[in-house]
Amino acid sequence: MTLPLLVACMAGTAPPKHSFSIGYGQDDLFFIPDALQTTADAFFTPAPSRIPAGPPAAGGLAVDIDKDTLSPNSGTPYQTEQSRQLRVGARLEQPLGGNFALGVGAALTYGKSRYLLPEGAGILTDPITIRFASQGVELDTGLIWRKQHSRRVSSRYEMGVGGSLTRTRTRIDSALLDVEATATQSAGFIYTDVGLGLHPKSDSLPGVQLRTRLKAYPHIGLSLQTSLSTAF
């Protein structure tokens, strides 16, 4: 990932620029299938201390929760009640001339999501709540096109590749279920990023960016994130 940046730095006409950012927006969704499957497997073969209260039949394979339960094509009705991610990042950009630049970034993420299955799953018809809490790191590199529309408004468009590594704690609760498991997921992605920047009159104050990033994870699917961030 760093090789293209090094080449650009050698040929660039301006020194690289660095920035730090804090952002808040929607959680990434790539980790959900693996995290759900890991938790379902833990429930189907639970440790003695994790066997839920209630009839033994409720703890068997009839609980219809797996990696596809929260997918767009799921046959199980569900509602998204919460999807939030806090993101702290650092970025290095090398101007390439004109409105173009090459960027390399790294970010630490902390996400929380909550989903409700109002009709339950399988033979369990009581509402089921699925919670995710994740901590991760993300690396990316891409080509950036930026335009300054006025002193206070700018826009940017970015395309590139990256990778995510996340450790996720999943908990499934209902009247008869109390299941928790932890899993680690990693995946590469291709992304496009569109942003609108608002800049204050004073150069000493940080600007604000509204950004939308669409990630395509091979063999997993798409993840769309909209966030509000400030850089300094």
Side-chain angles (χ1 to χ4, degrees):
M1 291 176 61
T2 58
L3 182 59
L5 180 61
L6 293 176
V7 174
C9 287
M10 295 174 61
T13 59
K17 302 176 181 179
H18 66 273
S19 63
F20 300 92
S21 64
I22 299 177
Y24 182 74
Q26 294 167 305
D27 203 0
D28 202 339
L29 304 179
F30 90 94
F31 61 82
I32 287 180
D34 186 63
L36 262 184
Q37 191 65 60
T38 298
T39 308
D41 291 344
F43 176 75
F44 297 151
T45 55
S49 61
R50 292 196 175 188
I51 297 177
L61 295 175
V63 180
D64 188 17
I65 295 178
D66 59 19
K67 64 183 180 65
D68 297 319
T69 298
L70 298 178
S71 68
N73 299 322
S74 173
T76 302
Y78 69 89
Q79 302 167 5
T80 303
E81 295 192 323
Q82 181 185 38
S83 178
R84 298 290 182 265
Q85 184 186 86
L86 178 65
R87 180 185 182 95
V88 180
R91 196 158 190 84
L92 184 65
E93 295 185 8
Q94 172 62 49
L96 300 178
N99 294 329
F100 291 94
L102 187 67
V104 170
L108 299 177
T109 62
Y110 176 73
K112 276 196 170 184
S113 297
R114 183 174 67 250
Y115 296 83
L116 174 66
L117 279 55
E119 301 176 13
I123 66 170
L124 299 184
T125 57
D126 292 318
I128 296 174
T129 300
I130 303 176
R131 295 179 174 86
F132 301 97
S134 63
Q135 301 87 37
V137 60
E138 185 175 296
L139 303 175
D140 63 59
T141 180
L143 181 65
I144 304 165
W145 180 84
R146 181 182 287 106
K147 183 175 179 59
Q148 193 74 32
H149 300 282
S150 68
R151 178 175 175 79
R152 302 188 62 183
V153 179
S154 65
S155 60
R156 59 174 281 153
Y157 179 78
E158 181 176 350
M159 294 185 63
V161 297
S164 298
L165 175 65
T166 301
R167 185 170 177 81
T168 306
R169 186 176 73 253
T170 306
R171 183 167 182 172
I172 302 176
D173 293 309
S174 76
L176 295 176
L177 299 178
D178 186 3
V179 183
E180 184 175 324
T182 300
T184 300
Q185 304 87 20
S186 62
F189 58 83
I190 302 170
Y191 71 91
T192 60
D193 194 312
V194 179
L196 176 66
L198 302 177
H199 310 280
K201 292 182 179 180
S202 173
D203 292 337
S204 62
L205 298 176
V208 175
Q209 277 208 353
L210 176 64
R211 299 178 63 176
T212 298
R213 173 171 286 202
L214 178 64
K215 301 176 185 174
Y217 288 95
H219 312 301
I220 298 177
L222 301 177
S223 179
L224 180 67
Q225 293 176 282
T226 299
S227 64
L228 189 66
S229 65
T230 181
F232 52 91

